[in-house]
Amino acid sequence: DIQMTQSPSTLSASIGDKITITCRASQSINNWMAWYQQKPGKAPKLLIYRASTLERGVPSRFSGSASGTEFTLTISSLQPDDFATYYCQQYGPSSRAFGQGTKVEIE
Amino acid sequence: EVQLVESGGGLARPGESLRLTCTASGFTFSSHVLDWVRQAPGKGLEWVSGISGSGGTTYYADSVKGRFIISRDNSRNTLDLLMNSLRVEDTALYYCARMRRETGAFDVWGPGTVVAVSS
């Protein structure tokens, strides 16, 4: 099965900062990558799919990119509502896998 | 409104069984792959199992293979997860999630149901 390695596990930042979260797949996944935001006590919310397509209704400060087996979620200017935990997720023909999560905290 | 609602969670002893059900509404149920994803207390998301729209193909994480069985009833718009031989480490909040076609991404999630396994 494909393994996902997400980093960092925790990120401290301030309002207005640009932040980047990275996920690395153990093998090629042909951009079958999604990103989610989760807040305490809530189900995850889809932000980006197919590595770089923004989900409808998600602010444009969120973006995704891919380079080989490395995938990046970027928030261009952190807002108060963005403090949450973020997960990457790969889709495979017979399995899926989530990254370990990145908690974005207020610095 | 597109909606998923899980039920059937509760307390079980190690070795016992539980059946979770996810009831869907607001979309063409049989057109979508559906999965179960769990989250242990204070931990990250873990994929558990998935099933094709027809129900003919199923997938399992290694951690539950041979113990859990996923199934669906497209006439009743329900998704089930039969959990056998439960272990303490199966304790988690269990979500059902809809996969959007041709994206591999989960675009609709239920609120989850709690499973606690303890002696």
Side-chain angles (χ1 to χ4, degrees):
Chain A
D1 288 349
I2 299 172
Q3 309 299 320
M4 304 302 301
T5 303
Q6 184 173 344
S7 62
S9 56
T10 305
L11 191 159
S12 296
S14 301
I15 301 298
D17 284 354
K18 177 180 179 179
I19 67 165
T20 298
I21 299 169
T22 298
C23 259
R24 182 171 285 107
S26 58
Q27 62 190 77
S28 174
I29 59 172
N30 294 319
N31 287 353
W32 290 101
M33 170 63 73
W35 291 94
Y36 302 86
Q37 177 192 69
Q38 187 181 33
K39 295 184 177 179
K42 299 292 187 181
K45 173 189 174 183
L46 177 63
L47 299 174
I48 286 168
Y49 59 91
R50 293 295 273 138
S52 60
T53 302
L54 195 66
E55 172 72 344
R56 186 182 306 176
V58 173
S60 59
R61 62 180 179 274
F62 291 90
S63 64
S65 64
S67 177
T69 59
E70 185 168 294
F71 299 84
T72 300
L73 172 70
T74 299
I75 306 176
S76 61
S77 177
L78 205 60
Q79 298 302 301
D81 192 49
D82 301 338
F83 291 96
T85 301
Y86 294 84
Y87 294 93
C88 63
Q89 173 245 321
Q90 70 85 14
Y91 165 82
S94 60
S95 70
R96 330 343 173 172
F98 288 91
Q100 296 84 354
T102 296
K103 185 175 183 180
V104 177
E105 300 179 326
I106 300 175
E107 188 169 41
Chain B
E1 179 190 4
V2 175
Q3 198 171 13
L4 298 171
V5 179
E6 303 90 343
S7 59
L11 178 64
R13 303 231 185 265
E16 292 184 342
S17 298
L18 273 179
R19 179 185 291 272
L20 306 183
T21 297
C22 174
T23 303
S25 59
F27 64 96
T28 305
F29 186 74
S30 61
S31 294
H32 291 270
V33 170
L34 294 170
D35 283 38
W36 288 96
V37 176
R38 68 186 181 185
Q39 188 166 34
K43 302 297 184 182
L45 301 171
E46 180 189 12
W47 175 73
V48 173
S49 181
I51 188 167
S52 63
S54 67
T57 305
T58 57
Y59 316 99
Y60 299 93
D62 288 344
S63 58
V64 306
K65 200 172 294 182
R67 299 188 300 124
F68 289 11
I69 300 173
I70 190 172
S71 62
R72 64 192 295 162
D73 184 337
N74 287 346
S75 67
R76 299 175 60 215
N77 286 5
T78 58
L79 170 73
D80 281 359
L81 185 69
L82 176 60
M83 304 185 295
N84 298 315
S85 303
L86 281 164
R87 303 169 179 169
V88 171
E89 54 265 34
D90 294 320
T91 294
L93 179 63
Y94 283 73
Y95 294 105
C96 68
R98 185 186 83 168
M99 184 172 290
R100 180 179 294 163
R101 285 178 284 180
E102 300 179 10
T103 67
F106 302 116
D107 64 342
V108 180
W109 296 68
T113 187
V114 174
V115 172
V117 184
S118 174
S119 55

